[in-house]
Amino acid sequence: MKKLYHLRIKTKDMSKLVIMPGDPNRSRYIADRFLKNVKIINTNRGIDAYTGTYKNKTVSVVTSGMGAPSAAIVIEELKRLGVDTIIRTGTCGGVNKCIKPGDVIIPTGAGSMIGFKRVYGIHEVPSSPDFYVMQKLVSNADKKGIRYHTGPIVTSDSFFSEKSHAKMLESKGILAMEMECSALFALGIVRHIKTGAVLLSTGNINYAEQVMDTPRIRKSMDIMIGIALDSIVA
């Protein structure tokens, strides 16, 4: 195995199945609330990572950090550790009027307002999730009986300039904006990792403030995490 610079993880401590939040606090929350027999396997560089069991299967939870460059570093090193499936559990800002705070989105693809793909030389590679992973996510969302959406999103490099693009993106049929999926999906294709994502809208950029935290959002967060875990062990 090539040297890892950021994840100080032994291969034996790593599951091939990874849930990937952006926020280290959410990684810890998933590990504490949803997994059994949890072991922390990395704290280096703030990339908190845990391994435990869910429905008797070993699952790791690994923080991606914010944005495509951070996510790409983590994904590359996870591949070197033998990971073959990654599902992102993240937040997003809706841009389409149909997206309400607390809604769940399962992306069918991610447009790229990022530099990552150009620098990697993979601009032509579509940012699409694995079809079978996405199918499992949709199936498990149906079982939860919640309000969810499927459709295209856009990944942005620039959190504080997203509002200036939001109206244009809505007019082109985009549901929401976030910061990691385009890199995850494209790198998944290139590195032969099965990928998918389930996202939680914490607001709507065009139609409401980013409310971030309400009882509905907290409840939807648990449902979103359950969808991802049920899908990755299926």
Side-chain angles (χ1 to χ4, degrees):
M1 184 181 73
K2 294 180 181 178
K3 180 181 178 181
L4 303 183
Y5 293 95
H6 306 87
L7 301 181
R8 305 286 172 81
I9 300 173
K10 296 176 181 178
T11 304
K12 67 181 180 64
D13 293 330
M14 191 77 226
S15 171
K16 293 181 181 296
L17 309 175
V18 170
I19 299 295
M20 180 178 283
D23 181 356
N25 291 325
R26 192 175 308 123
S27 293
R28 183 170 61 251
Y29 178 78
I30 295 170
D32 289 346
R33 185 174 176 84
F34 292 87
L35 302 186
K36 296 179 179 178
N37 308 312
V38 174
K39 176 182 179 180
I40 187 161
I41 58 173
N42 191 72
T43 57
N44 190 49
R45 295 291 188 104
I47 308 170
D48 291 357
Y50 307 82
T51 293
T53 58
Y54 181 80
K55 295 186 175 179
N56 297 316
K57 290 195 176 182
T58 304
V59 176
S60 294
V61 181
V62 183
T63 307
S64 71
M66 291 185 287
S70 179
I73 288 169
V74 174
I75 295 161
E76 290 275 23
E77 295 196 359
L78 288 176
K79 175 63 179 180
R80 295 176 186 184
L81 287 163
V83 169
D84 64 24
T85 307
I86 300 173
I87 296 179
R88 166 164 154 70
T89 53
T91 56
C92 63
V95 298
N96 192 288
K97 194 171 185 177
C98 71
I99 305 298
K100 309 298 182 187
D103 283 3
V104 167
I105 299 172
I106 298 169
T108 57
S112 296
M113 295 178 66
I114 59 175
F116 164 84
K117 291 176 71 174
R118 177 181 56 79
V119 173
Y120 253 66
I122 59 171
H123 193 72
E124 298 81 8
V125 175
S127 289
S128 303
D130 178 84
F131 174 78
Y132 295 103
V133 173
M134 184 176 65
Q135 195 175 48
K136 290 176 185 178
L137 290 167
V138 170
S139 175
N140 282 301
D142 282 334
K143 292 173 186 175
K144 300 288 186 185
I146 59 156
R147 178 182 167 91
Y148 76 95
H149 311 263
T150 58
I153 63 164
V154 160
T155 298
S156 169
D157 269 344
S158 182
F159 182 88
F160 287 104
S161 72
E162 287 177 354
K163 189 170 179 62
S164 64
H165 303 291
K167 277 292 185 185
M168 176 272 292
L169 292 172
E170 182 190 20
S171 73
K172 297 183 185 302
I174 300 301
L175 296 181
M177 299 180 74
E178 55 80 73
M179 300 186 72
E180 290 83 30
C181 281
S182 181
L184 171 63
F185 296 162
L187 198 50
I189 292 170
V190 172
R191 298 292 185 242
H192 307 291
I193 304 168
K194 291 173 282 188
T195 66
V198 56
L199 307 174
L200 175 64
S201 168
T202 56
N204 192 301
I205 298 168
N206 284 323
Y207 296 97
E209 293 292 326
Q210 290 292 93
V211 293
M212 302 303 287
D213 188 29
T214 65
R216 181 174 183 238
I217 286 173
R218 289 192 292 274
K219 181 179 179 181
S220 294
M221 179 70 72
D222 282 356
I223 293 170
M224 174 190 74
I225 293 165
I227 292 167
L229 285 165
D230 287 342
S231 300
I232 208 164
V233 301

